[in-house]
Amino acid sequence: MDAVTAAFAAVPRTGFLRWESRDRAGVDAPVAIGHGQTNSQPRTVADMLRLLEVLSGQRVLDVGAGSGWTTALLAALVGPTGRVLGVELLPDLAAWGGENVRRAGCPWASVRAADPGVLGLPDGAPYDRILVSAEADEIPAALLDQLADDARMVLPVRGTMTLVVRTAGADRVSEHGRYRFVPLLGWRQG
């Protein structure tokens, strides 16, 4: 069993869905979590986590944490020697997602409300891995500024899953298929 499959087994999706939607936890489709946001399709989340190549002990930023499911999955991947910081623009979702992560028993992971107009958590940078679960119009410079050296970032850009690999200060960008995501809210490049 690879690390991502093990994380999925350790962090069931059910606990990260609204009560009325929990019967859809096993469906390989996005599930609404309120405020026009979704808990992403499991196959898509697995694809993103495999591209991210999270290692034990790493510091990870989870942008668009929503229900907290990806934050908890990342926590399972980094283990107790790592740290996962989730940010969510919508305060109600951030509070709910944070509670879901606490119930999952991952004290090395948390979800908080994002500061309006600020993408990510610059004060906690640099990060070894950054996962973005909302679609950007372009690769955000604000997140590139938060990426450590020898690091990776995965995000959907204009419908294409995009991987940024930073090595020795140089960024290599590759594309990995078409996906649909909710838009990255409350932030614009420039």
Side-chain angles (χ1 to χ4, degrees):
M1 178 181 307
D2 75 325
V4 171
T5 302
F8 269 70
V11 183
R13 187 184 193 199
T14 306
F16 298 86
L17 297 175
R18 300 281 183 197
W19 284 105
E20 63 274 11
S21 302
R22 288 189 171 184
D23 63 333
R24 300 198 63 225
V27 176
D28 191 30
V31 176
I33 56 172
H35 305 278
Q37 303 303 301
T38 63
N39 178 288
S40 296
Q41 177 179 13
R43 183 171 22 113
T44 299
V45 172
D47 290 348
M48 293 176 79
L49 294 177
R50 286 190 174 96
L51 282 173
L52 202 57
E53 295 182 5
V54 178
L55 302 173
S56 178
Q58 289 186 319
R59 285 181 45 81
V60 182
L61 176 64
D62 184 18
V63 178
S67 71
W69 187 43
T70 53
T71 305
L73 288 166
L74 289 163
L77 291 167
V78 301
T81 61
R83 180 79 174 112
V84 182
L85 302 169
V87 289
E88 171 56 52
L89 182 65
L90 302 168
D92 290 347
L93 283 182
W96 179 60
E99 182 56 34
N100 290 339
V101 170
R102 280 188 291 281
R103 274 197 323 271
C106 308
W108 56 93
S110 61
V111 176
R112 62 167 270 202
D115 294 328
V118 176
L119 186 57
L121 284 172
D123 292 344
Y127 302 99
D128 301 305
R129 301 291 188 264
I130 299 176
L131 178 70
V132 183
S133 296
E135 184 172 317
D137 293 330
E138 57 189 86
I139 298 172
L143 291 179
L144 288 173
D145 289 346
Q146 296 173 54
L147 200 57
D149 200 20
D150 295 321
R152 297 168 81 91
M153 176 168 60
V154 172
L155 73 160
V157 178
R158 289 183 311 277
T160 301
M161 193 59 65
T162 304
L163 169 65
V164 178
V165 177
R166 177 169 289 170
T167 307
D171 293 336
R172 189 177 76 245
V173 177
S174 57
E175 297 179 345
H176 299 270
R178 304 287 297 167
Y179 293 83
R180 292 185 61 180
F181 275 84
V182 296
L184 188 58
L185 298 175
W187 175 86
R188 293 289 177 257
Q189 184 81 8

